[in-house]
């Protein structure tokens, strides 16, 4: 009976290390890509909602400007922002108060006061 060759020992170690890493990965089930902190996950979701509402408000103003005739005021409502957030970004349950805040921000930032009318201040 002869002893184990060095290649055999190395092969067994490589297989054992690979099996150990696979077992560790299966046990963690992707925790490496998930946030460990609920507060960080909540903050990321809030940033995403704000980003969606800002984009929807800008799109609502642009759409209303395109639909308004020459000399007519551009009418943009909070409901337009909520509808665009649902249709384009699949966020159906956005807070109307946050949508109004995003519309006010876009209204003031985009020099919309000269030709726009909005219900975001009401």
């Amino acid at each position: 009976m002869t002893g184990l060759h060095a290649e055999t020992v190395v092969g067994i170690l490589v297989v054992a290390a690979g099996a150990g890493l696979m077992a560790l990965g299966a046990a963690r089930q992707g925790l490496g890509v998930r946030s460990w902190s609920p507060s960080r996950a909540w903050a990321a979701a809030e940033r995403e909602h704000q980003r969606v509402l800002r984009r929807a408000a800008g799109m609502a103003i642009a759409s209303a400007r395109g639909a308004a005739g020459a000399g007519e005021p551009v009418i943009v409502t909070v409901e337009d922002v909520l509808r665009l957030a649902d249709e384009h970004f699949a966020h159906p349950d956005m807070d109307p108060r946050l949508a109004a805040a995003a519309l006010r921000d876009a209204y003031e930032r985009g020099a919309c006061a000269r030709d726009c009318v909005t219900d975001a201040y009401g």
Side-chain angles (χ1 to χ4, degrees):
M1 203 152 114
T2 63
L4 294 174
H5 295 300
E7 295 87 17
T8 306
V9 173
V10 171
I12 290 172
L13 288 176
V14 169
V15 169
L21 287 174
M22 288 177 20
L24 181 64
R28 287 180 49 136
Q29 296 177 356
L31 289 178
V33 295
R34 282 191 245 147
S35 177
W36 287 95
S37 169
S39 63
R40 277 195 318 219
W42 181 81
E46 285 297 313
R47 285 191 305 273
E48 170 69 10
H49 285 157
Q50 292 297 325
R51 184 186 67 80
V52 164
L53 286 174
R54 280 194 308 270
R55 291 184 66 195
M59 290 171 65
I61 291 172
S63 174
R65 278 191 170 144
E72 294 179 356
V74 176
I75 300 172
V76 186
T77 65
V78 173
E79 185 60 37
D80 294 337
V81 175
L82 293 172
R83 181 180 48 79
L84 286 170
D86 181 23
E87 290 176 0
H88 289 273
F89 303 106
H91 286 278
D93 298 324
M94 297 299 258
D95 186 3
R97 293 173 302 174
L98 295 176
L103 183 55
R104 284 191 301 270
D105 183 49
Y107 182 84
E108 293 164 359
R109 188 173 22 90
C112 198
R114 61 183 159 79
D115 63 345
C116 295
V117 178
T118 182
D119 63 349
Y121 291 96

